[in-house]
Amino acid sequence: MSLLSVENLTASYGVSQALFGVDLSIEEGQVVALMGRNGMGKSTTVKSICRMIASQGVLNFGGTDLHAQPSHRVARLGIGLVPEGRRCFRDLTVYENLIASARPGEWTEDTIGDLFPRLTERRQQRARSLSGGEQQMLAIGRALMTNPKLLILDEATEGLAPIIRQEIWAAIKRIKRDSGVAILLVDKSLKELSKVSDRAVILERGKTAWSGNITDLTKEISEKFVGV
Amino acid sequence: MIQERYLNALVLFGLIAVPLYAMATEELFTITLATRAVILALAAVGLNLALGLGGLVSFGHATFFGIGGYTMGVLAYHAQTYTALDLGLFTIEGTKSMPIIWLVAIILSSLVAVVIGMLSLRTSGVYFIMITLAFGQMFFFFTISWAAYGGEDGLSIYVRNGFPGLNTLVPIQFYGICFVILCAVLFLNARLAKSPFGLALNAARQTPMRTQTVGLDPTRLKLVAFVISGAITGLAGALFADLNRFVSPTMFSWQFSGEIMLFIILGGVGRLFGPVIGAVIFVTLEHFLGEITDFWHIYLGVILVIIVLFARGGIVGLLSGRGGGHD
């Protein structure tokens, strides 16, 4: 059985329907890239999985129907989200951001410090005083501190300097290599996604247009649906 | 700028030194004034937990203050009249024991805070303010019509309740009790603010939705904070009633809810000693300006406007920098 199973997922913002039937599944320890042009429903799919917006269809995580769960319970079941725009707790220090949501498991302040040494250097600094890249590292660290079974990264490298993006991608590869956590990656960098992902799901107008192994993703398909 | 911890130490030193000096010079009224300041500070420290950490602008915290006060009043009244308190299914005896009264005040305040919190936290913003205010007014009008315990005129208690090993009628001893309780609650607040619960509550105040995505339930966090906050304010109410040996519906008034909020804004929202500094300033102004004019609130209003406009971190923020506080 898949760790996460999404079938025929539909969602709306008021009267405006955003998802028309998204299908995707993630196995344990697998990295799946969720791709598509802007406005195709990637972030809405993520919000639906995390129960931040109402949706219909099958939404099953480890045998639990997510539709029956409030947002905080979804996280407690083992879905860690790194939201678009980072959204760290600005008035808390790096250390406080990490321990505020910590749950027992392999990810601790020390292992996060190994992954992002910059966070250890800025341990007592308030999140609001960090650079964008450091805030992104903190957002990833905060999500990992919940010791999730599935980590969702929504546009984790968006708007960051190239050198910081490299650091983030290196960290994602290390998370994949060193831990059994499954990852759902929403990003626009096909080059990096193809290096780290096992599978890809492409959304087009709120529906799954293509899914398969990342190695099967041809240039024609990516040009047609992703534009690169 | 002075580091916040030194400022806090200075305030604590003042709260020890002034009553001791007053005792040495036999200015007993100053001790009573200091006791009043400490008790009001305790009430505000309670509210600061909900307002400062949780961002809950409760305009009904007088409810808990009044419940604490009436707990003391009712129990002591039955003790002094040697009558039992008839609760329908059973009766209980009155008591003059402070620890028992405090315990009952804390339990009752907490229970009421659970109910008010569960209903109020379904709302936010101005609706939260209004619903907490409405609960306060409900209790206010209930006590006005509660003829058995004095109704609008309130209830006088002719003795001060007792504390084992102390003579609570000696002003400095009663002050000592209140001061130790304030210190204990400040210590608890400081520990709570840095605990995972306090950090999660702080996070829930900043971004409730993001808090949920890391597995924390902001409503539950805020409810727990509201209940602890109500319990502390209830305890302050019981002490205040003991200080005055009198309880009246004004303990439930919205003006009092506003006053304790004012202490926090004056001192600094979310700052550990903010409410203490605010309460001390309020009581000092009330006493000294009150001797000059009945309209001393005008001057207080001017000070408040200046603080809000030019020192948004309150007096603690003005002296120690913005630090951990917030608007």
Side-chain angles (χ1 to χ4, degrees), chain B residues 28-43:
Chain B
L28 297 184
F29 180 69
T30 304
I31 301 175
T32 303
L33 214 57
T35 311
R36 180 176 157 80
V38 163
I39 294 172
L40 292 178
L42 182 66

Side-chain angles (χ1 to χ4, degrees), chain A residues 35-101:
Chain A
M35 301 158 74
R37 292 189 184 88
N38 283 342
M40 291 299 142
K42 302 186 296 294
S43 290
T44 305
T45 303
V46 167
K47 284 178 184 166
S48 300
I49 294 169
C50 295
R51 302 287 297 125
M52 291 160 76
I53 59 168
S55 58
Q56 295 78 41
V58 174
L59 205 50
N60 192 294
F61 182 74
T64 305
D65 177 16
L66 294 183
H67 284 303
Q69 308 296 327
S71 189
H72 68 275
R73 289 246 175 85
V74 169
R76 287 188 168 233
L77 284 171
I79 297 181
L81 172 67
V82 179
E84 195 177 7
R86 304 177 271 276
R87 312 285 172 91
C88 297
F89 303 131
R90 290 168 50 80
D91 289 345
L92 301 187
T93 64
V94 167
Y95 167 72
E96 289 170 346
N97 261 276
L98 293 176
I99 65 158
S101 57

Side-chain angles (χ1 to χ4, degrees), chain A residues 72, chain B residues 121 201 204 208-209 211-212 216-223:
Chain A
H72 68 275
Chain B
L121 286 167
L201 180 65
M209 183 55 101
T211 314
Q212 290 184 52
L216 302 166
D217 182 354
T219 307
R220 185 176 288 185
L221 288 166
K222 287 177 180 177
L223 179 62

